[in-house]
Amino acid sequence: MFNKETEYAIRALVYIQVQNGESSRPGIEEIAKEIDAPKFYVAKILQRLVKQGVIQSIKGKGGGFYFEKDRAGITIKEIINLIEPSKDRQECGFGLKQCDANNPCPFHDKYAPIRNSIDELITSETVLTLAQKYILKTHRTVTESE
């Protein structure tokens, strides 16, 4: 659904938020390992997100990546727009340039509600809400296996 850079960015940001919630600032190597992504690619993505003000970083021992308190509320849609600014998520599912209710493609009637649901999802979910869901899921898994 998204390009690899966007997927890695979302996974990295959620991981950073989870670690920040445990009073930790993860570094590039840890993040790359945990999200199963190439280290240099993750470094490039995170450097870009630091420049854009999404996250902060501290170099050296005890350093790593972290969110300012108000930034973890960034929506997934905002992240996607930062990574894939030219992508039009309202595009036609059939690939036509002119597709709308007045000039529908063969997919239009079934695809439009799906596209709208995805837009609602990425608008309503934030890094913080995904991190909270991740913590609940992993806590439940650990509790169930004990």
Side-chain angles (χ1 to χ4, degrees):
M1 183 160 73
F2 308 117
N3 70 31
K4 275 290 183 206
E5 186 176 3
T6 300
E7 289 175 9
Y8 291 154
I10 294 168
R11 291 189 347 226
L13 291 172
V14 169
Y15 181 76
I16 291 167
Q17 179 56 39
V18 168
Q19 294 306 303
N20 289 176
E22 296 175 2
S23 300
S24 176
R25 290 187 298 255
I28 293 289
E29 287 189 32
E30 177 184 344
I31 295 165
K33 180 181 175 199
E34 290 299 319
I35 69 167
D36 193 28
K39 180 174 83 170
F40 295 108
Y41 199 31
V42 172
K44 179 182 156 193
I45 294 166
L46 294 181
Q47 181 181 43
R48 184 171 162 195
L49 292 170
V50 167
K51 284 182 182 177
Q52 293 170 323
V54 175
I55 52 175
Q56 303 295 315
S57 68
I58 297 174
K59 293 182 181 190
K61 187 174 179 160
F65 293 91
Y66 66 97
F67 280 94
E68 292 288 337
K69 291 192 186 299
D70 62 333
R71 292 303 289 162
I74 188 169
T75 66
I76 301 307
K77 185 173 186 172
E78 289 174 288
I79 295 165
I80 294 166
N81 288 337
L82 289 171
I83 304 295
E84 302 178 47
S86 63
K87 178 135 173 132
D88 179 11
R89 273 160 285 290
Q90 294 301 313
E91 63 193 13
C92 171
F94 200 61
L96 299 178
K97 289 184 182 189
Q98 296 296 319
C99 174
D100 56 32
N102 295 327
N103 186 28
C105 74
F107 283 155
H108 188 81
D109 292 336
K110 290 191 177 186
Y111 183 74
I114 294 168
R115 182 185 61 220
N116 294 340
S117 292
I118 291 170
D119 189 62
E120 183 181 318
L121 172 70
I122 64 175
T123 301
S124 65
E125 292 290 349
T126 66
V127 168
L128 184 58
T129 61
L130 291 180
Q132 290 167 338
K133 289 175 184 180
Y134 176 82
I135 291 167
L136 285 173
K137 179 183 176 228
T138 56
H139 177 70
R140 217 177 292 138
T141 304
V142 169
T143 305
E144 290 171 358
S145 64
E146 291 176 349

